[in-house]
Amino acid sequence: MKTFRDFGLDPNILKALAKEGYTHPTPIQEQAIPILLKGHDLLGSAQTGTGKTAAFALPIIQHLLKERDGRRSIKALVVTPTRELAIQISDNFKKYSAFTNLRTAVIFGGVKQGSQVNELDKGVDILIATPGRLLDLVGQKIVDLSSLDYFVLDEADQMLDMGFIHDIKRIIRIIPQKRQSLFFSATMPKNIIELSKEILGNYKRVSIAPEKPAAERVSQVVYRVAKADKPKLLVHLLNENYYFTTLVFSRTKHGADKIVRKLKQANIKAEAIHGNKSQNARQRTLKAFKDGKTPVLVATDIAARGIDVEELSLVVNYDLPNVAETYVHRIGRTGRAKASGISISFCDDMELKDLWAIEELLNKKIERVEDQPYHLEGNTPVDRPAPGQHRRNAQKQGQGQGQAKKRQSSGKNFRRKSRRR
Ligand code: AMP
């Protein structure tokens, strides 16, 4: 088995790794580090939790140490979709370069720029950024990318999902052509491959698929339940069992807030984390969760990316995702390292098709638990209404939106009608 020493890394990097307690490289590190040290571009299929950050951070630090010219300028840039990831990546760079004089700064939106600008003014070698704030500060001539040698685009699929494509293209136009480029994405659909071609030159590819191991490690069950009964089922579950920490996934921000309200009404301590919350509120919430002070965190998929909680014991898919791979990412939040986690998915009639798509991806049937007070019989899927469908229906019938909403939440009757149309 390889050790970090075998890569010929700088002694100051090895010292930092020893301090962190890293003994052996993870599979993606073992594959990617030698490629990157040789200066190749890299296309990596890997997600958070695989040791991906060190896989790109260590070679970048090594290069920067070798090429030190005494001047401070931004030589490495990592662009990542969320503030949480940006902070996490920056913390990792700082740890790995703790015994060097390299400086790392992190910039992200949603907070005033003042303290970030102060950090930049001190001089920075490595910059971690979310796209919007980066372009903003470049526009204000506070960030200068003309000395850039290393460019990392992280979580590219998430970037596109969040609508950052134009920002990314603008960034690519700004940065120097001559550079080493690294492109990471958890999934590799066609549009991602297309984008990677715009960024990478002659590249090598590494692929680490944690999907299967996570799916195998985590024990997964499905609770069939009517949409209207989901809050009661969640309260029942959390009251009946003890879980150290529970991460509940909601499809929407509004839904996440609603779940928190229902839990609080039942005297269960819970907080929501999603894009509508301020950066400070998100950090506070996350810390309270990691410290075990808030036992239940309700999150949307985007906000949950990068949440790295050692002792996460339960993941609840309150809503099933309609992209099967997202399910694998979600359950990958539990069952980290040695721990084996539990994932419970609520599935109403509208989500049956999503469930089947997930089972097809996993290539196995997920066990149904029927011994619960809100069990829903039957296996007939109901189609999800098209976006705006309720409103159009309501308008057709000369009804106000309020009534349309009432009908929507009244469940089966409405669904049957909408199916007939
Ligand atoms: P990442 O995929 O970069 O988010 O890393 C996931 C977690 O694994 C982080 O908490 C890292 O600090 C940790 N980690 C990364 N590489 C190693 C390693 N070689 N040995 C032990 N832990 C590691």
Side-chain angles (χ1 to χ4, degrees):
M1 201 190 249
K2 256 193 178 328
T3 67
F4 285 104
R5 211 167 281 281
D6 299 327
F7 297 125
L9 294 171
D10 188 284
N12 286 313
I13 300 178
L14 293 174
K15 194 168 153 191
L17 294 176
K19 188 174 169 220
E20 290 304 310
Y22 295 9
T23 49
H24 297 281
T26 66
I28 189 161
Q29 291 161 3
E30 195 165 335
Q31 288 183 44
I33 291 173
I35 294 173
L36 293 172
L37 287 176
K38 280 192 198 135
H40 296 292
D41 283 3
L42 182 85
L43 174 65
S45 340
Q47 63 184 60
T48 307
T50 52
K52 172 184 65 153
T53 316
F56 64 75
L58 301 179
I60 288 177
I61 295 171
Q62 173 81 4
H63 283 304
L64 295 184
L65 289 177
K66 269 196 169 164
E67 295 154 12
R68 246 176 317 197
D69 59 5
R71 282 185 307 126
R72 254 200 227 290
S73 56
I74 300 169
K75 297 183 200 86
L77 170 69
V78 182
V79 179
T80 191
T82 67
R83 307 152 194 186
E84 284 78 12
L85 276 170
I87 293 170
Q88 208 162 290
I89 294 170
S90 154
D91 287 346
N92 282 344
F93 265 98
K94 284 178 182 161
K95 281 183 199 161
Y96 306 145
S97 60
F99 299 104
T100 75
N101 65 356
L102 293 172
R103 280 182 46 84
T104 299
V106 58
I107 58 174
F108 45 81
V111 290
K112 289 195 180 127
Q113 69 180 45
S115 60
Q116 296 175 4
V117 174
N118 287 345
E119 281 304 302
L120 291 166
D121 283 346
K122 289 182 202 159
V124 164
D125 305 283
I126 302 158
L127 181 65
I128 322 298
T130 55
R133 177 57 56 96
L134 175 68
L135 287 169
D136 191 0
L137 295 185
V138 168
Q140 295 179 49
K141 304 218 175 325
I142 293 170
V143 167
D144 173 9
L145 298 175
S146 60
S147 313
L148 201 73
D149 290 321
Y150 304 95
F151 174 61
V152 183
L153 188 74
D154 187 36
E155 304 269 347
D157 50 355
Q158 195 70 10
M159 293 271 194
L160 296 203
D161 286 352
M162 291 171 74
F164 284 138
I165 182 73
H166 297 294
D167 284 352
I168 295 166
K169 291 194 170 174
R170 276 181 62 200
I171 294 167
I172 302 166
R173 282 199 297 272
I174 294 170
I175 59 179
Q177 293 268 322
K178 195 174 162 295
R179 56 169 200 257
Q180 186 179 21
S181 300
L182 290 67
F183 184 103
F184 288 95
S185 186
T187 55
M188 287 287 169
K190 216 169 136 225
N191 58 350
I192 292 289
I193 299 282
E194 292 296 314
L195 177 66
S196 75
K197 285 184 189 151
E198 293 187 34
I199 294 176
L200 301 170
N202 207 349
Y203 65 85
K204 305 266 179 200
R205 190 168 176 167
V206 299
S207 177
I208 300 296
E211 270 82 337
K212 238 178 144 190
E216 282 165 11
R217 265 197 328 268
V218 177
S219 58
Q220 306 157 61
V221 290
V222 168
Y223 283 47
R224 290 276 289 122
V225 56
K227 188 173 178 173
D229 287 334
K230 285 185 176 185
K232 287 179 272 183
L233 177 58
L234 183 60
V235 169
H236 168 80
L237 261 178
L238 296 174
N239 278 339
E240 290 295 301
N241 304 280
Y242 173 77
Y243 299 106
F244 182 72
T245 43
T246 301
L247 182 58
V248 179
F249 280 98
S250 159
R251 210 192 322 253
T252 64
K253 300 172 199 174
H254 173 71
D257 288 333
K258 210 164 136 192
I259 296 167
V260 168
R261 279 201 300 278
K262 296 276 183 194
L263 291 176
K264 283 186 174 165
Q265 280 164 13
N267 289 324
I268 296 172
K269 253 178 123 177
E271 293 287 347
I273 183 166
H274 55 62
N276 282 3
K277 305 258 171 178
S278 76
Q279 169 60 16
N280 286 343
R282 284 162 74 170
Q283 287 306 119
R284 258 200 320 276
T285 305
L286 198 53
K287 185 164 187 318
F289 183 60
K290 285 185 176 182
D291 294 346
K293 287 184 190 140
T294 308
V296 183
L297 186 67
V298 185
T300 54
D301 285 298
I302 286 172
R305 277 247 169 164
I307 291 181
D308 191 10
V309 183
E310 297 279 318
E311 291 202 53
L312 185 61
S313 34
L314 173 68
V315 163
V316 176
N317 292 303
Y318 188 91
D319 302 310
L320 274 181
N322 43 16
V323 176
E325 282 83 5
T326 305
Y327 172 87
V328 181
H329 295 168
R330 286 181 180 187
I331 68 164
R333 304 281 113 214
T334 180
R336 289 283 177 106
K338 285 161 267 156
S340 60
I342 303 168
S343 146
I344 296 177
S345 300
F346 293 179
C347 176
D348 64 26
D349 289 339
M350 261 192 285
E351 293 167 318
L352 272 170
K353 284 185 179 168
D354 300 328
L355 176 63
W356 296 340
I358 290 163
E359 292 183 325
E360 202 177 309
L361 178 74
L362 299 179
N363 205 10
K364 73 169 186 181
K365 195 171 154 75
I366 306 173
E367 186 195 334
R368 284 12 173 208
V369 174
E370 297 188 0
D371 184 18
Q372 47 100 352
Y374 304 100
H375 175 61
L376 177 66
E377 287 292 347
N379 224 4
T380 312
V382 171
D383 284 331
R384 219 183 285 283
Q389 187 68 48
H390 298 309
R391 214 175 312 128
R392 280 198 296 279
N393 290 343
Q395 277 162 357
K396 235 192 270 169
Q397 294 163 13
Q399 296 166 330
Q401 263 196 35
Q403 258 168 310
K405 261 200 184 138
K406 231 192 254 167
R407 281 174 149 269
Q408 181 184 346
S409 60
S410 73
K412 279 192 178 143
N413 274 345
F414 175 76
R415 280 186 218 129
R416 247 183 248 127
K417 274 187 188 160
S418 68
R419 205 149 52 113
R420 246 188 269 136
R421 275 193 195 102

